[in-house]
Amino acid sequence: MSQREIGTTEKLVFYEFAWPLLGAVFGVNLYRIILELLAHILLIVVAVVVAIKASGMDDHRSGQHALYAVLGLFLCMGESLLVCHSWWLGDFISRKRLNLLHMVLGIVGLWLGSVGIFLKSIFKSKTREPHFSSKHGLCGLLGLLLFGGTLASGFALMYFTHLALHSPHRLMGLCGFLLLSFSQWFALNLGFARREWSGQSIKWLKIATLGATISVVGYELLCLCGDIVHLLPNIWFKAMGLKIDGLDN
């Protein structure tokens, strides 16, 4: 191979592997990458810690409720929001399969969460204790209802793709996750958490829960703002002298 060919090959390799990364570093995509990675890690960490503790509890009713709730209404719900606009999954699977994964996570999350709330409701009814009277219970119930509305609108979007339906679907999902995250936060103030963890462990769990909430919500808001910008008329940006990628066509 001649020196000219070697030089050409090196330039091609540099362009293929280095330039996309450098472009991400100086663009909004960097923040999306950081937020998504952080969200995945924190969601999994909180879910694993609660699941391990719940599986070894003597109080099986509270343990099952905590297990189903954190896996369904926290982990699956958060992941279903993240996979919609994942910066790396889109390079491996098609958009159709990505939407299918989003739907499967939503269905599994709603089912697990409903089972967890149902089991706790039965126990509360037998002991004649008030249910959904605390901040934890009320936020969990409202979040589950919004989650159900999100899933219903998602099924409708399979047949009627319209902005008037798409926007409420995303907003309900975002608000539902926020309420369910608040419910998870308030659960760490209850007797269940105080019996099972030390004060220092609860503090770290709260930090991880807050970090997961901020990163998931921040990621979804960033994607939502980007979609809104691309829906605005191109002439607006030309009048301001701005050039937005993807709006020049």
Side-chain angles (χ1 to χ4, degrees), residues 89-245:
L89 275 178
D91 295 333
F92 295 98
I93 60 178
S94 64
R95 184 64 193 178
K96 184 177 180 180
R97 292 184 178 180
L98 203 62
N99 290 334
L100 181 61
L101 177 61
H102 166 72
M103 185 178 296
V104 169
L105 285 170
I107 293 173
V108 173
L110 183 62
W111 177 72
L112 289 174
S114 299
V115 170
I117 292 179
F118 179 72
L119 291 175
K120 192 67 175 181
S121 298
I122 292 178
F123 173 71
K124 291 277 189 177
S125 299
K126 289 181 178 179
T127 57
R128 296 184 178 181
E129 297 179 39
H131 202 196
F132 305 119
S133 58
S134 64
K135 294 178 181 178
H136 163 67
L138 188 58
C139 287
L141 178 61
L142 292 176
L144 184 69
L145 293 176
L146 281 175
F147 198 0
T150 304
L151 192 62
S153 60
F155 279 118
L157 281 171
M158 296 175 62
Y159 303 98
F160 307 101
T161 303
H162 196 277
L163 183 63
L165 187 60
H166 186 73
S167 299
H169 171 75
R170 295 182 68 172
L171 290 175
M172 281 193 297
L174 184 61
C175 294
F177 178 76
L178 266 177
L179 285 170
L180 293 170
S181 298
F182 292 157
S183 178
Q184 173 69 21
W185 174 279
F186 291 136
L188 296 173
N189 295 326
L190 300 179
F192 157 73
R194 293 175 180 175
R195 289 193 305 268
E196 301 298 329
W197 286 293
S198 64
Q200 188 70 15
S201 298
I202 292 176
K203 177 183 177 181
W204 284 112
L205 273 173
K206 284 186 173 182
I207 292 174
T209 301
L210 181 61
T213 304
I214 293 174
S215 54
V216 172
V217 172
Y219 184 81
E220 177 63 17
L221 284 176
L222 191 61
C223 296
L224 185 59
C225 290
D227 293 342
I228 291 174
V229 168
H230 283 79
L231 288 173
L232 296 176
N234 194 9
I235 192 173
W236 290 10
F237 299 98
K238 290 183 178 179
M240 292 184 289
L242 298 177
K243 183 180 179 181
I244 309 296
D245 293 338

Side-chain angles (χ1 to χ4, degrees), residues 23-35 222-223 226:
V25 168
F26 295 103
V28 179
N29 286 337
L30 174 64
Y31 303 103
R32 290 183 59 182
I33 291 171
I34 293 174
L35 283 174
L222 191 61
C223 296

